[in-house]
PDB file of all heavy atoms in Angstrom:
ATOM      1  N   ALA A 249      34.300  87.381 147.291  1.00  0.00           N
ATOM      2  CA  ALA A 249      33.810  87.498 145.925  1.00  0.00           C
ATOM      3  C   ALA A 249      34.817  87.049 144.899  1.00  0.00           C
ATOM      4  O   ALA A 249      34.816  87.516 143.796  1.00  0.00           O
ATOM      5  CB  ALA A 249      33.416  88.963 145.645  1.00  0.00           C
ATOM      6  N   GLY A 250      35.661  86.114 145.215  1.00  0.00           N
ATOM      7  CA  GLY A 250      36.775  85.778 144.341  1.00  0.00           C
ATOM      8  C   GLY A 250      36.426  84.925 143.151  1.00  0.00           C
ATOM      9  O   GLY A 250      37.314  84.378 142.516  1.00  0.00           O
ATOM     10  N   THR A 251      35.143  84.743 142.797  1.00  0.00           N
ATOM     11  CA  THR A 251      34.802  83.801 141.750  1.00  0.00           C
ATOM     12  C   THR A 251      34.069  84.448 140.578  1.00  0.00           C
ATOM     13  O   THR A 251      33.363  83.779 139.843  1.00  0.00           O
ATOM     14  CB  THR A 251      33.925  82.678 142.325  1.00  0.00           C
ATOM     15  OG1 THR A 251      32.759  83.257 142.911  1.00  0.00           O
ATOM     16  CG2 THR A 251      34.685  81.895 143.388  1.00  0.00           C
ATOM     17  N   ALA A 252      34.188  85.777 140.400  1.00  0.00           N
ATOM     18  CA  ALA A 252      33.518  86.434 139.286  1.00  0.00           C
ATOM     19  C   ALA A 252      34.046  85.894 137.970  1.00  0.00           C
ATOM     20  O   ALA A 252      35.249  85.679 137.817  1.00  0.00           O
ATOM     21  CB  ALA A 252      33.740  87.947 139.357  1.00  0.00           C
ATOM     22  N   PRO A 253      33.207  85.652 136.975  1.00  0.00           N
ATOM     23  CA  PRO A 253      33.681  85.129 135.703  1.00  0.00           C
ATOM     24  C   PRO A 253      34.569  86.140 134.987  1.00  0.00           C
ATOM     25  O   PRO A 253      34.249  87.316 134.918  1.00  0.00           O
ATOM     26  CB  PRO A 253      32.382  84.874 134.914  1.00  0.00           C
ATOM     27  CG  PRO A 253      31.374  85.789 135.542  1.00  0.00           C
ATOM     28  CD  PRO A 253      31.741  85.864 136.981  1.00  0.00           C
ATOM     29  N   VAL A 254      35.685  85.676 134.484  1.00  0.00           N
ATOM     30  CA  VAL A 254      36.662  86.536 133.829  1.00  0.00           C
ATOM     31  C   VAL A 254      36.862  86.046 132.408  1.00  0.00           C
ATOM     32  O   VAL A 254      37.032  84.847 132.179  1.00  0.00           O
ATOM     33  CB  VAL A 254      38.005  86.497 134.593  1.00  0.00           C
ATOM     34  CG1 VAL A 254      39.034  87.365 133.891  1.00  0.00           C
ATOM     35  CG2 VAL A 254      37.813  86.935 136.026  1.00  0.00           C
ATOM     36  N   PRO A 255      36.834  86.940 131.416  1.00  0.00           N
ATOM     37  CA  PRO A 255      37.095  86.506 130.051  1.00  0.00           C
ATOM     38  C   PRO A 255      38.450  85.821 129.949  1.00  0.00           C
ATOM     39  O   PRO A 255      39.442  86.300 130.493  1.00  0.00           O
ATOM     40  CB  PRO A 255      37.075  87.833 129.255  1.00  0.00           C
ATOM     41  CG  PRO A 255      36.287  88.774 130.110  1.00  0.00           C
ATOM     42  CD  PRO A 255      36.553  88.381 131.515  1.00  0.00           C
ATOM     43  N   ALA A 256      38.493  84.687 129.279  1.00  0.00           N
ATOM     44  CA  ALA A 256      39.730  83.911 129.194  1.00  0.00           C
ATOM     45  C   ALA A 256      40.765  84.665 128.374  1.00  0.00           C
ATOM     46  O   ALA A 256      40.478  85.103 127.261  1.00  0.00           O
ATOM     47  CB  ALA A 256      39.454  82.557 128.560  1.00  0.00           C
ATOM     48  N   PRO A 257      41.977  84.848 128.871  1.00  0.00           N
ATOM     49  CA  PRO A 257      43.032  85.501 128.094  1.00  0.00           C
ATOM     50  C   PRO A 257      43.560  84.577 127.021  1.00  0.00           C
ATOM     51  O   PRO A 257      43.336  83.353 127.055  1.00  0.00           O
ATOM     52  CB  PRO A 257      44.100  85.789 129.150  1.00  0.00           C
ATOM     53  CG  PRO A 257      43.904  84.719 130.175  1.00  0.00           C
ATOM     54  CD  PRO A 257      42.432  84.459 130.206  1.00  0.00           C
ATOM     55  N   ALA A 258      44.279  85.171 126.081  1.00  0.00           N
ATOM     56  CA  ALA A 258      44.881  84.370 125.027  1.00  0.00           C
ATOM     57  C   ALA A 258      46.005  83.515 125.593  1.00  0.00           C
ATOM     58  O   ALA A 258      46.800  83.977 126.398  1.00  0.00           O
ATOM     59  CB  ALA A 258      45.425  85.295 123.933  1.00  0.00           C
ATOM     60  N   GLY A 259      46.070  82.256 125.147  1.00  0.00           N
ATOM     61  CA  GLY A 259      47.155  81.374 125.583  1.00  0.00           C
ATOM     62  C   GLY A 259      46.768  80.555 126.798  1.00  0.00           C
ATOM     63  O   GLY A 259      45.709  80.741 127.393  1.00  0.00           O
ATOM     64  N   PRO A 260      47.617  79.600 127.185  1.00  0.00           N
ATOM     65  CA  PRO A 260      47.331  78.730 128.327  1.00  0.00           C
ATOM     66  C   PRO A 260      47.186  79.531 129.617  1.00  0.00           C
ATOM     67  O   PRO A 260      47.843  80.541 129.822  1.00  0.00           O
ATOM     68  CB  PRO A 260      48.564  77.810 128.386  1.00  0.00           C
ATOM     69  CG  PRO A 260      49.200  77.909 127.040  1.00  0.00           C
ATOM     70  CD  PRO A 260      48.896  79.272 126.540  1.00  0.00           C
ATOM     71  N   ARG A 261      46.315  79.047 130.501  1.00  0.00           N
ATOM     72  CA  ARG A 261      46.062  79.724 131.766  1.00  0.00           C
ATOM     73  C   ARG A 261      47.223  79.520 132.733  1.00  0.00           C
ATOM     74  O   ARG A 261      47.827  78.444 132.792  1.00  0.00           O
ATOM     75  CB  ARG A 261      44.775  79.200 132.381  1.00  0.00           C
ATOM     76  CG  ARG A 261      44.427  79.874 133.700  1.00  0.00           C
ATOM     77  CD  ARG A 261      43.224  79.227 134.358  1.00  0.00           C
ATOM     78  NE  ARG A 261      43.017  79.813 135.679  1.00  0.00           N
ATOM     79  CZ  ARG A 261      42.169  79.333 136.581  1.00  0.00           C
ATOM     80  NH1 ARG A 261      41.456  78.255 136.296  1.00  0.00           N
ATOM     81  NH2 ARG A 261      42.042  79.914 137.752  1.00  0.00           N
ATOM     82  N   VAL A 262      47.539  80.555 133.492  1.00  0.00           N
ATOM     83  CA  VAL A 262      48.572  80.491 134.517  1.00  0.00           C
ATOM     84  C   VAL A 262      47.928  80.113 135.845  1.00  0.00           C
ATOM     85  O   VAL A 262      46.902  80.691 136.231  1.00  0.00           O
ATOM     86  CB  VAL A 262      49.302  81.844 134.668  1.00  0.00           C
ATOM     87  CG1 VAL A 262      50.307  81.783 135.813  1.00  0.00           C
ATOM     88  CG2 VAL A 262      49.990  82.221 133.375  1.00  0.00           C
ATOM     89  N   ARG A 263      48.502  79.155 136.544  1.00  0.00           N
ATOM     90  CA  ARG A 263      48.097  78.806 137.900  1.00  0.00           C
ATOM     91  C   ARG A 263      49.105  79.412 138.865  1.00  0.00           C
ATOM     92  O   ARG A 263      50.312  79.199 138.716  1.00  0.00           O
ATOM     93  CB  ARG A 263      47.977  77.302 138.068  1.00  0.00           C
ATOM     94  CG  ARG A 263      46.900  76.688 137.177  1.00  0.00           C
ATOM     95  CD  ARG A 263      46.691  75.215 137.463  1.00  0.00           C
ATOM     96  NE  ARG A 263      45.644  74.668 136.605  1.00  0.00           N
ATOM     97  CZ  ARG A 263      44.346  74.727 136.868  1.00  0.00           C
ATOM     98  NH1 ARG A 263      43.938  75.324 137.983  1.00  0.00           N
ATOM     99  NH2 ARG A 263      43.456  74.210 136.044  1.00  0.00           N
ATOM    100  N   ILE A 264      48.606  80.133 139.837  1.00  0.00           N
ATOM    101  CA  ILE A 264      49.467  81.004 140.642  1.00  0.00           C
ATOM    102  C   ILE A 264      50.436  80.222 141.515  1.00  0.00           C
ATOM    103  O   ILE A 264      51.639  80.517 141.546  1.00  0.00           O
ATOM    104  CB  ILE A 264      48.602  81.956 141.486  1.00  0.00           C
ATOM    105  CG1 ILE A 264      47.773  82.856 140.569  1.00  0.00           C
ATOM    106  CG2 ILE A 264      49.475  82.793 142.414  1.00  0.00           C
ATOM    107  CD1 ILE A 264      46.748  83.707 141.302  1.00  0.00           C
ATOM    108  N   LEU A 265      49.959  79.217 142.232  1.00  0.00           N
ATOM    109  CA  LEU A 265      50.847  78.485 143.139  1.00  0.00           C
ATOM    110  C   LEU A 265      51.943  77.729 142.389  1.00  0.00           C
ATOM    111  O   LEU A 265      53.119  77.809 142.770  1.00  0.00           O
ATOM    112  CB  LEU A 265      50.028  77.536 144.022  1.00  0.00           C
ATOM    113  CG  LEU A 265      50.691  77.109 145.334  1.00  0.00           C
ATOM    114  CD1 LEU A 265      50.972  78.332 146.216  1.00  0.00           C
ATOM    115  CD2 LEU A 265      49.801  76.121 146.083  1.00  0.00           C
ATOM    116  N   PRO A 266      51.633  76.997 141.306  1.00  0.00           N
ATOM    117  CA  PRO A 266      52.717  76.379 140.534  1.00  0.00           C
ATOM    118  C   PRO A 266      53.703  77.396 139.950  1.00  0.00           C
ATOM    119  O   PRO A 266      54.890  77.102 139.815  1.00  0.00           O
ATOM    120  CB  PRO A 266      51.976  75.622 139.429  1.00  0.00           C
ATOM    121  CG  PRO A 266      50.640  75.322 140.012  1.00  0.00           C
ATOM    122  CD  PRO A 266      50.310  76.531 140.848  1.00  0.00           C
ATOM    123  N   ALA A 267      53.205  78.598 139.631  1.00  0.00           N
ATOM    124  CA  ALA A 267      54.112  79.635 139.138  1.00  0.00           C
ATOM    125  C   ALA A 267      55.133  80.008 140.210  1.00  0.00           C
ATOM    126  O   ALA A 267      56.325  80.181 139.936  1.00  0.00           O
ATOM    127  CB  ALA A 267      53.322  80.870 138.705  1.00  0.00           C
ATOM    128  N   GLY A 268      54.669  80.128 141.469  1.00  0.00           N
ATOM    129  CA  GLY A 268      55.596  80.408 142.561  1.00  0.00           C
ATOM    130  C   GLY A 268      56.593  79.290 142.773  1.00  0.00           C
ATOM    131  O   GLY A 268      57.778  79.532 143.033  1.00  0.00           O
ATOM    132  N   LEU A 269      56.128  78.048 142.659  1.00  0.00           N
ATOM    133  CA  LEU A 269      57.033  76.906 142.805  1.00  0.00           C
ATOM    134  C   LEU A 269      58.096  76.905 141.720  1.00  0.00           C
ATOM    135  O   LEU A 269      59.290  76.689 141.992  1.00  0.00           O
ATOM    136  CB  LEU A 269      56.223  75.610 142.764  1.00  0.00           C
ATOM    137  CG  LEU A 269      57.026  74.304 142.807  1.00  0.00           C
ATOM    138  CD1 LEU A 269      57.811  74.198 144.107  1.00  0.00           C
ATOM    139  CD2 LEU A 269      56.096  73.106 142.635  1.00  0.00           C
ATOM    140  N   LEU A 270      57.691  77.151 140.478  1.00  0.00           N
ATOM    141  CA  LEU A 270      58.643  77.185 139.371  1.00  0.00           C
ATOM    142  C   LEU A 270      59.678  78.283 139.569  1.00  0.00           C
ATOM    143  O   LEU A 270      60.885  78.077 139.370  1.00  0.00           O
ATOM    144  CB  LEU A 270      57.883  77.384 138.057  1.00  0.00           C
ATOM    145  CG  LEU A 270      58.724  77.399 136.774  1.00  0.00           C
ATOM    146  CD1 LEU A 270      59.443  76.072 136.584  1.00  0.00           C
ATOM    147  CD2 LEU A 270      57.830  77.706 135.570  1.00  0.00           C
ATOM    148  N   MET A 271      59.206  79.456 139.968  1.00  0.00           N
ATOM    149  CA  MET A 271      60.119  80.559 140.243  1.00  0.00           C
ATOM    150  C   MET A 271      61.094  80.192 141.353  1.00  0.00           C
ATOM    151  O   MET A 271      62.301  80.436 141.267  1.00  0.00           O
ATOM    152  CB  MET A 271      59.328  81.798 140.646  1.00  0.00           C
ATOM    153  CG  MET A 271      60.162  82.977 141.104  1.00  0.00           C
ATOM    154  SD  MET A 271      60.912  83.798 139.720  1.00  0.00           S
ATOM    155  CE  MET A 271      59.444  84.530 139.008  1.00  0.00           C
ATOM    156  N   GLY A 272      60.585  79.590 142.420  1.00  0.00           N
ATOM    157  CA  GLY A 272      61.433  79.240 143.550  1.00  0.00           C
ATOM    158  C   GLY A 272      62.501  78.233 143.195  1.00  0.00           C
ATOM    159  O   GLY A 272      63.655  78.340 143.648  1.00  0.00           O
ATOM    160  N   LEU A 273      62.159  77.244 142.397  1.00  0.00           N
ATOM    161  CA  LEU A 273      63.154  76.245 141.993  1.00  0.00           C
ATOM    162  C   LEU A 273      64.270  76.895 141.175  1.00  0.00           C
ATOM    163  O   LEU A 273      65.452  76.560 141.339  1.00  0.00           O
ATOM    164  CB  LEU A 273      62.479  75.138 141.186  1.00  0.00           C
ATOM    165  CG  LEU A 273      61.543  74.210 141.990  1.00  0.00           C
ATOM    166  CD1 LEU A 273      60.798  73.271 141.046  1.00  0.00           C
ATOM    167  CD2 LEU A 273      62.345  73.415 143.015  1.00  0.00           C
ATOM    168  N   GLY A 274      63.905  77.828 140.308  1.00  0.00           N
ATOM    169  CA  GLY A 274      64.932  78.512 139.525  1.00  0.00           C
ATOM    170  C   GLY A 274      65.869  79.334 140.387  1.00  0.00           C
ATOM    171  O   GLY A 274      67.097  79.307 140.205  1.00  0.00           O
TER     172      GLY A 274
END
């Protein structure tokens, strides 16, 4: 059920996998 519509939060959307990559590089 991972596709339920979610109200968009304020600001640009975070993508989870690129976030992990960015963290890892740092």
Side-chain angles (χ1 to χ4, degrees):
T251 58
V254 179
R261 181 186 174 190
V262 176
R263 297 186 179 275
I264 298 172
L265 202 61
L269 176 62
L270 182 61
M271 174 76 70
L273 290 173

